[in-house]
Amino acid sequence: LLWCTLLPAAWARDCSIGGQSLCSCSELLAKHLIASLDECTQEAAAQACRSGNCAHDELGIMESNWTSTGSMELRYSYHNDIGPFDLWWDFPNDDTIEIEFSLPSEFYVGLGFTADGVGDAVAAWVDSSRVHVGDYWDEGSREPETDESKNCQNDIETVSGHFQNGVTTVRFRRKLDTGDHGDCDAKIVRGPMEINYAWCDEPWCADANGKCKGYKDGCLDSPHSLDASNHVTVDFSGKSLQMLATDLVV
């Protein structure tokens, strides 16, 4: 069974070519609506929007869909062409956030909750056996440390993840305020927040044949290039428009 929360008329979709409600290429890939980036066109995005399979309303908020298995369609989203980077989130309850993000890497992808890239971070990768998502402290220029190694705790609950067509997508939950001591974890606020993201890229982290240059799982001990990172401001309240018109849909 599927329950859908109907959107008010003021939140009408714009599924026209170039419309605000069209999903990004990575969103279409993640929902298996296209098989590759070569199939990502404005018409494909518009068709997915009109069918209701993938759409945003004019405030950047997606329909809230709950299934009988308890899985949740994340209502809020943000896109940035650098990467490209796609971020989705929602709040299962008052003190918890569920986050999903996608970046173009076969190895590690990272999401940091600081403005300068130093401090609280989540690192993740997907291999043949399982999805790995962990709580880390990133120093910015070296292999990140696990929170446990700093006498803190791993506050990340892995939900799901997959690697497809060169893109790694992972989903996790954590408390907005984990209560970890010191600076192990930043408090996530329901408003504008400066965050950062990074991914393992060629030829820095991996060679042209897609082989990791490091030794650790996920290639986590191999540095990425300066071009494979970015700092952005995301409004976690979901009140501002999150989907940008400069998406990769052509």
Side-chain angles (χ1 to χ4, degrees), residues 100-111:
E100 181 172 310
F101 70 99
S102 296
L103 282 165
S105 178
E106 184 177 353
F107 300 104
Y108 68 78
V109 294
L111 179 65

Side-chain angles (χ1 to χ4, degrees), residues 34-244:
I34 58 174
S36 69
L37 289 176
D38 292 336
E39 297 180 14
C40 189
T41 64
Q42 288 275 355
E43 181 54 41
Q47 183 176 351
C49 178
R50 290 191 294 266
S51 68
N53 289 324
C54 190
H56 297 258
D57 66 60
E58 293 181 356
L59 295 178
I61 302 173
M62 300 182 70
E63 281 192 21
S64 178
N65 299 324
W66 295 79
T67 69
S68 57
T69 60
S71 61
M72 179 172 63
E73 186 74 16
L74 307 181
R75 291 178 296 167
Y76 310 112
S77 66
Y78 171 87
H79 170 84
N80 195 291
D81 282 345
I82 297 178
F85 169 67
D86 281 290
L87 177 72
W88 303 267
W89 71 94
D90 210 331
F91 304 97
N93 53 54
D94 290 341
D95 65 355
T96 303
I97 188 169
E98 186 164 323
I99 292 176
E100 181 172 310
F101 70 99
S102 296
L103 282 165
S105 178
E106 184 177 353
F107 300 104
Y108 68 78
V109 294
L111 179 65
F113 298 106
T114 60
D116 59 3
V118 176
D120 185 21
V122 171
W125 62 94
V126 178
D127 59 29
S128 58
S129 60
R130 60 188 288 252
V131 179
H132 305 263
V133 187
D135 204 353
Y136 288 84
W137 200 91
D138 191 359
E139 294 194 37
S141 59
R142 64 186 69 179
E143 181 183 350
E145 304 176 40
T146 63
D147 272 23
E148 292 100 319
S149 70
K150 295 172 64 66
N151 295 318
C152 296
Q153 59 186 7
N154 182 2
D155 296 291
I156 300 301
E157 176 189 346
T158 302
V159 176
S160 63
H162 65 270
F163 173 76
Q164 183 180 23
N165 298 319
V167 177
T168 291
T169 301
V170 295
R171 182 186 287 209
F172 64 92
R173 289 183 181 183
R174 60 154 275 186
K175 297 292 186 182
L176 295 171
D177 185 356
T178 67
D180 243 345
H181 69 80
D183 62 351
C184 285
D185 287 337
K187 182 178 180 180
I188 299 177
V189 299
R190 291 198 186 205
M193 185 172 178
E194 292 183 274
I195 65 171
N196 64 88
Y197 61 89
W199 67 97
C200 174
D201 63 333
E202 300 175 7
W204 293 79
C205 183
D207 62 26
N209 296 318
K211 183 178 179 181
C212 170
K213 290 186 175 181
Y215 300 94
K216 298 288 186 69
D217 290 344
C219 213
L220 199 59
D221 58 334
S222 185
H224 58 80
S225 71
L226 291 176
D227 292 332
S229 63
N230 195 21
H231 298 76
V232 297
T233 299
V234 173
D235 185 354
F236 282 111
S237 73
K239 293 180 180 179
S240 62
L241 182 64
Q242 300 294 347
M243 183 172 178
L244 305 183

